[in-house]
Amino acid sequence: MAAPAATQYGGPDIDAAGQQLFDELIAEDSRIEPRDWMPEAYRKSLTRQISQHAHSEIIGMQPEANWITRAPSLKRKAILMAKVQDEAGHGLYLYSAAETLGTPRDKMTEDLIAGKARYSSIFNYPVLTWADIGAIGWLVDGAAICNQVPLCRASYGPYGRAMVRICKEESFHQRQGFEILLELANGTQAQRDMAQDAINRWYAPSLMMFGPPDDDSPNSKQSMAWNIKRFSNDELRSRFVGMIAEQVKALGLTLPDPDVRFNEDTGKWEHGPLDWEEFKEVLAGRGPCNAQRMERRREAHEDGAWVREAAAAYADKQARRAAPATEAA
Amino acid sequence: MTGGSTTGDDGSTAPAPGPAEKRQPWPLWEVFVRSSRGLSHVHAGSLHAPDADMALRNARDLYTRRNEGVSLWVVPSSAIITSDPSAKEQFFESPQGKDYRHATYYTKSEGVKHL
Amino acid sequence: MSEANASATRITPGNALRPEDIAASHAVPSPEAAEYALWLGDDSLILAQRLGWWISRAPELEEDVALANIALDLIGHARSFLTYAGHASGRTEDDLAYFRREPEFRSAHLFEQPNGDFARTIARQFVVSHYQWELYSRLQHSTHPTLAGIAAKAVKEVDYHRDHSLQWVLRLAQGTEESRRRMTAGLKLTWPYVEELFADEPLIDALGGAAVRPSSLREPFDAAVAAVLAEADLEVPAVPGATGGGRRGVHSEHLGYILAELQVLAREHPGASW
């Protein structure tokens, strides 16, 4: 929907009434919709989260798109194209949701290419082999789905609705990734090695996609109070480890972590220590591919400027041409 | 170009692109999809397009990739008029207390068939 | 299974066929029909490979999605034609796509042309989609059930490609000065490769009513294209035709690079399954 007219709610009385209704809606686990009054911090936090999510989809297209031209069978080529295309679609659904909070997509794109906005740091790792395409589908999309399914119930209506559509479409992404690995695992020795190597490299980064440990996650608490986030980082991570620990057996391969185990006492899955220093480095833009991804996004946007402008100019001309006719009629 | 692809590297006649765009960005459109005959068009989401013709085509590409639709509407977002959420009470609370509009209000005739 | 048997089961004239249907049918083409299927399959495969590059680089995100849709349709057509062609020699679509050498490909030069800027890609799409629409709208009535079936599916998709490209030709031609200059340049770079599409080869005589005679498409193609260009206030470029030769395995310099990228991984692991 169109940007909300946030400014119409001025004055302390209206703010107080708005806050009260907002609190009630959150308390009864109802949904906030675009034109509702909402605390500025809620609007800001959501805009940041949804746009970051959208940027991740768009930047995330690149490492996989790099393999479209080299996909080793025509069926895999078609599947990969469809998957990368879905990611563009998901980015668009999310930008739409973020736009309802009042920030136009253009502004979000500008922030991204100016390096002011973040995207998921997972896409700053290089995608070196075909098996990486499998590992990304299985582990990276798998982790993303774990994160996203609870977001379908996020308190902000447009975000939740975008996530429902995305989760529905993403179910094939994880499966196709797992199938790539399954084919490799049942293939030649070289293919098996390729698959194991990919799992070794993507395992820890995919676990770190859930964000820092709970005691070191400053935004999580507020996000949970607002019913945007439903489970803590560690909770989701543990759930994910449990799933992939089982799934890897079907591949006949292993996770590169001897400490993965189910803790009978806590009822939770545990994993070995993760290198959070590396995570912070990559997050800070020092991942090996950061500059490359940003440059490509910037280039595509700038190279496309004349096309966008031409279409807008054409629309203007058509509208002007149509206008006198309408008046006459 | 980055990425080292060999399939898009040559033949470009592109000079250096201009700095910022001079024109307004493409406007926002709301998309409504009819999933099958007999059902209403339902709001699916939004997109950007330079004009109505392209908006329809973009909607087809974006919102019906999995056989989701048999018909599409696109509407400029700016053309949608929304009721004021802060006027919820005046707008939407009047029907409360008018239970006699619902069949369940009439209990005495219970047990009478086909009523 | 013979062609007759196949047509008794799933392949009937006018029935739109997908790659899976062709693979399941085991219908075996004559050597001539297989060669013709290679023409059409290679055209679509090479163009899909070109268009795949745009995904994540298009002028706007909505256009990433649109170009990907077109590339996906083309991959589908290529898979159908190559699967069918392969039945003549016991090869799969992937054997043909990944393990043939350059002179064994039958794509016309137009499909191999570089993407260039968006206008050049649109110019190539404009020609290809109008050519393919004229071709498939006739091939769907071919006396040959499998070729007709593949064309029956493809013609609807290519109709949309035609619309996509002409919408952009109109916008780029009449948008800004810069876009008009680029559209004009794109058409000029594309036009030398138009002629080859309509050249008759001896193969066509051998196929009779099973194939569509390329030269018979020239007139309707010219009329359709001229109508759009007139609306866009553009001239049909007056440039000499290139030599062509793709149907005989003589290609442009571009194809070697395209195949190097397309085939590199599959060839590193011959015999592997993916």
Side-chain angles (χ1 to χ4, degrees):
Chain A
M1 281 299 148
T7 45
Q8 79 185 70
Y9 309 104
D13 291 351
I14 294 176
D15 278 358
Q19 180 77 55
Q20 198 192 337
L21 180 61
F22 177 85
D23 291 343
E24 279 168 24
L25 288 170
I26 295 290
E28 65 197 40
D29 201 4
S30 183
R31 297 291 178 267
I32 308 299
E33 293 295 343
R35 287 173 55 94
D36 289 337
W37 185 95
M38 60 186 90
E40 222 18 65
Y42 177 84
R43 185 186 299 279
K44 242 193 201 154
S45 169
L46 266 174
T47 304
R48 183 184 50 82
Q49 179 174 343
I50 303 174
S51 63
Q52 196 170 310
H53 197 159
H55 297 329
S56 302
E57 296 280 356
I58 299 306
I59 296 289
M61 293 168 71
Q62 292 181 24
E64 291 179 278
N66 287 346
W67 282 90
I68 288 176
T69 50
R70 288 174 289 170
S73 78
L74 296 186
K75 189 178 92 182
R76 292 281 168 216
K77 191 189 285 288
I79 292 171
L80 185 58
M81 261 190 203
K83 176 175 193 270
V84 179
Q85 183 199 40
D86 271 353
E87 278 152 15
H90 298 171
L92 287 170
Y93 304 157
L94 288 162
Y95 281 129
S96 302
E99 280 189 284
T100 63
L101 290 159
T103 307
R105 185 165 110 199
D106 246 40
K107 169 78 171 69
M108 294 184 260
T109 305
E110 268 168 38
D111 285 352
L112 173 66
I113 61 182
K116 285 190 236 163
R118 274 188 184 157
Y119 56 87
S120 175
S121 58
I122 194 86
F123 302 115
N124 289 335
Y125 291 94
V127 176
L128 300 174
T129 70
W130 175 251
D132 287 22
I133 297 295
I136 288 175
W138 177 44
L139 295 174
V140 174
D141 291 325
I145 290 170
C146 272
N147 255 327
Q148 288 170 356
V149 167
L151 286 173
C152 294
R153 296 191 291 127
S155 59
Y156 188 57
Y159 193 25
R161 292 192 286 274
M163 291 318 306
V164 168
R165 187 175 275 272
I166 290 173
C167 286
K168 222 193 272 172
E169 297 187 354
E170 279 223 337
S171 53
F172 107 75
H173 293 187
Q174 193 185 14
R175 278 198 184 193
Q176 65 86 35
F178 191 79
E179 272 194 27
I180 287 176
L181 292 176
L182 199 57
E183 283 280 353
L184 296 176
N186 294 325
T188 64
Q189 187 60 45
Q191 285 180 304
R192 254 193 308 281
D193 293 346
M194 197 196 288
Q196 184 63 59
D197 167 64
I199 293 172
N200 293 349
R201 280 182 292 111
W202 289 95
Y203 168 76
S206 71
L207 258 55
M208 289 192 270
M209 282 175 71
F210 294 94
D214 292 347
D215 47 22
D216 189 24
S217 179
N219 296 329
S220 284
K221 229 176 133 188
Q222 178 64 76
S223 201
M224 287 177 77
W226 277 333
N227 292 348
I228 298 173
K229 215 174 148 82
R230 300 281 178 168
F231 302 99
S232 79
N233 294 351
D234 286 335
E235 243 176 299
L236 289 170
R237 187 165 19 241
S238 153
R239 225 184 265 183
F240 178 64
V241 169
M243 280 189 250
I244 60 173
E246 284 305 311
Q247 290 164 350
V248 78
K249 290 180 195 160
L251 295 173
L253 300 170
T254 55
L255 297 177
D257 183 349
D259 298 331
V260 168
R261 65 176 198 115
F262 184 71
N263 185 328
E264 299 281 356
D265 299 334
T266 60
K268 293 197 169 171
W269 281 86
E270 292 174 353
H271 55 83
L274 295 167
D275 185 354
W276 290 104
E277 282 315 305
E278 182 200 90
F279 176 78
K280 281 173 192 155
E281 282 291 298
V282 177
L283 201 62
R286 288 187 282 274
C289 297
N290 179 279
Q292 187 187 325
R293 307 276 188 254
M294 292 298 288
E295 187 192 353
R296 169 134 146 220
R297 187 73 207 106
R298 191 178 308 121
E299 238 173 37
H301 189 71
E302 285 172 2
D303 287 351
W306 69 269
V307 178
R308 296 191 298 275
E309 204 180 303
Y314 178 83
D316 279 357
K317 283 180 200 171
Q318 294 297 104
R320 269 204 302 277
R321 211 172 293 171
T326 318
E327 271 164 36
Chain B
M1 296 287 172
T2 53
S5 169
T6 55
T7 49
D9 53 350
D10 46 357
S12 173
T13 54
E21 277 159 277
K22 283 164 263 165
R23 266 165 228 282
Q24 287 294 308
W26 291 354
L28 193 63
W29 303 75
E30 300 301 324
V31 179
F32 299 79
V33 181
R34 184 202 292 286
S35 57
S36 72
R37 285 184 173 277
L39 298 178
S40 302
H41 287 78
V42 174
H43 185 238
S46 60
L47 50 77
H48 287 265
D51 54 49
D53 286 338
M54 292 305 275
L56 259 185
R57 284 158 179 84
N58 290 349
R60 176 260 193 193
D61 286 332
L62 187 58
Y63 288 102
T64 66
R65 298 198 302 285
R66 289 174 169 80
N67 289 318
E68 293 96 332
V70 295
S71 167
L72 285 169
W73 288 349
V74 292
V75 181
S77 300
S78 58
I80 291 188
I81 316 296
T82 314
S83 62
D84 181 350
S86 66
K88 183 173 162 264
E89 288 156 19
Q90 301 93 300
F91 252 68
F92 301 116
E93 283 185 15
S94 151
Q96 288 174 20
K98 298 191 178 77
D99 294 350
Y100 47 80
R101 283 183 181 278
H102 299 277
T104 48
Y105 178 79
Y106 305 90
T107 51
K108 290 196 177 149
S109 47
E110 226 161 77
V112 182
K113 283 185 179 169
H114 307 301
L115 194 67
Chain C
M1 197 189 285
S2 75
E3 187 85 338
N5 275 343
S7 65
T9 51
R10 3 183 15 128
I11 299 178
T12 51
N15 184 21
L17 293 175
R18 303 164 306 138
E20 293 78 10
D21 301 326
I22 314 279
S25 77
H26 303 290
V28 176
S30 67
E32 290 79 17
E35 176 79 3
Y36 186 61
L38 281 184
W39 285 24
L40 308 187
D42 286 347
D43 283 353
S44 293
L45 172 63
I46 299 302
L47 185 58
Q49 180 77 358
R50 280 296 197 203
L51 287 177
W53 179 88
W54 274 107
I55 305 171
S56 75
R57 293 181 174 90
E60 188 50 284
L61 297 172
E62 280 83 355
E63 196 55 29
D64 276 298
V65 179
L67 288 171
N69 265 348
I70 294 174
L72 279 170
D73 289 342
L74 291 168
I75 284 270
H77 309 163
R79 292 183 62 200
S80 290
F81 282 122
L82 294 185
T83 298
Y84 185 55
H87 286 175
S89 53
R91 287 182 287 179
T92 65
E93 60 183 57
D94 288 334
D95 292 337
L96 290 173
Y98 292 93
F99 293 94
R100 272 181 303 157
R101 292 174 310 113
E102 206 178 316
E104 295 170 274
F105 274 77
R106 292 292 176 264
S107 44
H109 288 206
L110 175 65
F111 302 87
E112 303 163 9
Q113 294 308 302
N115 288 331
D117 64 1
F118 185 68
R120 188 169 177 187
T121 288
I122 288 299
R124 192 182 60 201
Q125 280 309 112
F126 177 62
V127 172
V128 167
S129 59
H130 281 78
Y131 158 72
Q132 287 188 331
W133 190 82
E134 299 296 344
L135 170 62
Y136 294 144
S137 60
R138 288 163 182 77
L139 190 61
Q140 66 179 333
H141 306 299
S142 153
T143 57
H144 191 289
T146 304
L147 294 173
I150 300 173
K153 167 133 177 69
V155 69
K156 296 177 207 134
E157 296 172 348
V158 166
D159 197 17
Y160 190 80
H161 304 175
R162 208 164 55 135
D163 176 72
H164 171 267
S165 70
L166 79 83
Q167 294 295 337
W168 275 115
V169 167
L170 294 177
R171 278 160 186 77
L172 297 183
Q174 301 183 305
T176 62
E177 252 176 62
E178 181 184 9
S179 69
R180 183 171 181 80
R181 178 177 60 70
R182 287 176 183 258
M183 192 66 243
T184 310
L187 288 169
K188 211 170 156 190
L189 286 166
T190 301
W191 230 258
Y193 307 100
V194 171
E195 206 171 293
E196 183 188 3
L197 302 175
F198 303 99
D200 294 334
E201 297 279 337
L203 177 71
I204 299 299
D205 298 322
L207 279 164
V212 176
R213 182 165 292 277
S215 58
S216 72
L217 302 173
R218 185 71 207 235
E219 219 172 287
F221 169 87
D222 280 346
V225 156
V228 178
L229 293 183
E231 194 184 338
D233 193 22
L234 290 169
E235 306 269 322
V236 178
V239 287
T243 49
R247 305 300 188 205
R248 280 165 275 124
V250 181
H251 293 281
S252 68
E253 287 185 347
H254 305 296
L255 187 63
Y257 293 98
I258 296 173
L259 295 185
E261 196 167 339
L262 173 78
Q263 297 179 337
V264 60
L265 181 56
R267 284 188 178 235
E268 261 177 48
H269 302 267
S273 112
W274 302 95

